[in-house]
């Protein structure tokens, strides 16, 4: 059925999946729109198995679950009484199968593997902090003697210094733009890794995200960059927010000791180009880091910055 076993995810998630599929049939009549709307309530792992099992349970072939379920309905109520109802169910089932086809399930599998890889990396990092054991992680960049993985991380985020309501609106825009190629929780990871704002306390890190088609990512990022320019940089309160924030920094008591990292710093109006969005992609997608590493290995005169600048032309 699937090369991934559902026992790899928590029992609560498995129960959640089958409860949804049961209610989806019995209460929502396999309404494809309801199915699509509900996906945001599930993790990428849960979505993958929902796609896998929906394609099996609701494929109207002799011997399959929904075929037997329909036969029982007819036996209990009589064909004439339920023919319109069954016709609706089977029509919806046919539409649903188009949504959970092999290609769609393959993209959900990519999300599933992305989430699994990210959780493994985070788990290794937590173990490293707790036990001081060496950090287990796949280094996708080819390191030379004396180099550290952090030497290759581009320590730069895209400024998002704007009122919270506008920032959250932009975050929703980002979800809408990328939802066709990345899972909800992974888009959030990309958001916090890519953008800089006072409330973002997450450490900049290498993410391990992947997409089915690279051209889809390029198209989405171009739309995201345009949205950023139109909604953030050209927002009439942008400069006033920065001025107001910097005045607040001047009057904020400085913290010492354990809480010193909470000390706010002044911010400057940004000059943001598409290059900065390429940096965000570099820090998020292994295939971009690998490509840059290979280019530098072939030509030692190249730098990460020059490679990313070249890639902008293809973005």
């Amino acid at each position: 059925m699937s090369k991934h076993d559902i026992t790899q995810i928590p029992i609560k998630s498995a129960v959640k999946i089958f409860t949804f599929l049961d209610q989806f049939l019995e209460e929502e009549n396999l309404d494809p729109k309801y199915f699509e709307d509900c996906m945001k309530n599930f993790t990428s792992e849960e979505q993958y198995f929902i796609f896998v099992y929906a394609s099996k349970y609701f494929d109207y072939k002799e011997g399959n679950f929904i075929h037997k379920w329909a036969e029982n309905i007819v036996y209990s109520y009589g064909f004439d009484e339920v023919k319109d109802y069954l016709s609706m169910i089977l029509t919806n089932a046919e539409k649903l199968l188009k949504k959970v086809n092999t290609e769609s399930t393959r993209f959900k599998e990519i999300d599933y593997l992305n989430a699994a890889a990210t959780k493994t990396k985070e788990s290794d990092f937590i173990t490293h902090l707790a036990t001081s054991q060496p950090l287990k992680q796949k280094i996708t960049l080819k390191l030379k003697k004396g180099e550290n993985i952090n030497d290759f991380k581009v320590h730069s985020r895209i400024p998002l210094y704007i009122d919270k309501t506008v920032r959250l609106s932009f975050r929703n825009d980002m979800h809408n733009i990328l939802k066709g190629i990345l899972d909800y929780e992974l888009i959030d990871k990309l958001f916090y890794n890519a953008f800089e704002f006072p409330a973002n306390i997450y450490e900049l890190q290498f993410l391990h995200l992947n997409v089915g088609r690279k051209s889809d990512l390029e198209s989405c990022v171009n739309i995201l960059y345009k949205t950023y320019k139109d909604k953030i940089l050209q927002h009439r309160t942008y400069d006033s927010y920065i001025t107001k924030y910097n005045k607040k920094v001047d009057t904020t008591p400085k913290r010492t000791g354990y809480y010193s990292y909470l000390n706010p710093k002044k911010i400057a109006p940004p000059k943001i180009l598409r290059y900065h969005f390429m940096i965000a992609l570099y820090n998020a997608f292994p295939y971009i880091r690998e490509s840059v590493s290979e280019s530098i290995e072939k030509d030692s005169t190249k730098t990460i910055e020059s490679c990313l600048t070249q890639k902008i032309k293809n973005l």
Side-chain angles (χ1 to χ4, degrees), residues 68-312:
K68 294 179 179 178
W69 177 86
E71 286 183 335
N72 289 334
I73 293 290
V74 171
Y75 179 80
S76 299
Y77 298 98
F79 178 74
D80 289 339
E81 292 293 324
V82 298
K83 63 180 181 180
D84 291 339
Y85 171 69
L86 287 181
S87 176
M88 175 188 64
I89 292 288
L90 298 181
T91 297
N92 283 345
E94 188 175 337
K95 292 178 181 178
L96 176 68
L97 289 177
K98 291 179 180 178
K99 287 184 176 292
V100 297
N101 60 27
T102 302
E103 184 177 16
S104 297
T105 300
R106 182 170 66 83
F107 287 130
K108 287 298 177 184
E109 182 183 22
I110 291 173
D111 290 341
Y112 170 83
L113 294 173
N114 280 341
T118 300
K119 285 182 178 179
T120 297
K121 181 176 180 295
E122 290 173 348
S123 177
D124 288 343
F125 185 66
I126 292 171
T127 300
H128 164 69
L129 291 178
T131 65
S132 297
Q133 294 299 314
L135 183 58
K136 299 176 182 178
Q137 63 176 347
K138 179 182 178 183
I139 304 300
T140 57
L141 295 167
K142 299 176 179 64
L143 304 181
K144 298 177 183 178
K145 185 177 181 180
E147 289 179 333
N148 184 281
I149 187 65
N150 284 322
D151 296 334
F152 285 86
K153 192 181 298 177
V154 182
H155 293 275
S156 177
R157 280 178 165 132
I158 302 166
L160 199 57
Y161 303 128
I162 196 70
D163 293 325
K164 182 178 179 180
T165 53
V166 181
R167 185 168 69 243
L168 292 178
S169 177
F170 175 75
R171 179 183 167 198
N172 289 335
D173 291 334
M174 183 171 173
H175 275 280
N176 289 329
I177 292 168
L178 297 174
K179 67 181 180 182
I181 61 173
L182 282 176
D183 176 68
Y184 186 93
E185 60 184 316
L186 297 180
I187 296 174
D188 254 5
K189 284 184 177 294
L190 177 59
F191 174 79
Y192 286 103
N193 209 57
F195 293 97
E196 180 77 30
F197 50 92
N200 186 1
I201 61 173
Y202 292 93
E203 179 187 3
L204 179 66
Q205 60 180 311
F206 277 147
L207 300 181
H208 296 265
L209 306 184
N210 285 292
V211 291
R213 296 190 186 94
K214 296 173 185 176
S215 59
D216 290 343
L217 174 63
E218 294 168 0
S219 176
C220 287
V221 170
N222 277 323
I223 296 172
L224 184 63
Y225 174 66
K226 185 179 185 304
T227 303
Y228 176 84
K229 281 179 41 180
D230 295 344
K231 193 163 193 172
I232 304 300
L233 292 185
Q234 296 181 17
H235 195 278
R236 61 185 178 82
T237 63
Y238 199 89
D239 290 338
S240 62
Y241 174 86
I242 293 178
T243 301
K244 181 179 178 182
Y245 179 85
N246 286 337
K247 286 182 178 179
K248 183 178 179 181
V249 169
D250 286 334
T251 59
T252 300
K254 300 300 181 184
R255 295 172 181 263
T256 59
Y258 181 77
Y259 293 100
S260 61
Y261 69 93
L262 293 175
N263 288 335
K265 298 179 180 179
K266 286 190 175 183
I267 54 181
K271 296 180 180 179
I272 301 302
L273 307 171
R274 286 199 305 162
Y275 171 76
H276 297 90
F277 279 76
M278 179 56 73
I279 290 175
L281 298 184
Y282 170 85
N283 284 332
F285 292 89
Y287 82 86
I288 295 179
R289 299 196 291 270
E290 289 169 358
S291 174
V292 168
S293 180
E294 289 170 1
S295 295
I296 294 175
E297 188 177 40
K298 291 177 182 177
D299 183 353
S300 60
T301 64
K302 291 184 177 180
T303 63
I304 295 176
E305 290 75 13
S306 66
C307 289
L308 294 181
T309 299
Q310 181 61 38
K311 284 182 176 294
I312 293 172

Side-chain angles (χ1 to χ4, degrees), residues 18-32:
F18 291 112
T19 299
F20 168 76
L21 292 175
D22 179 64
Q23 293 177 345
F24 180 48
L25 171 62
E26 299 290 350
E27 299 177 15
E28 303 299 333
N29 304 320
L30 301 186
D31 179 2

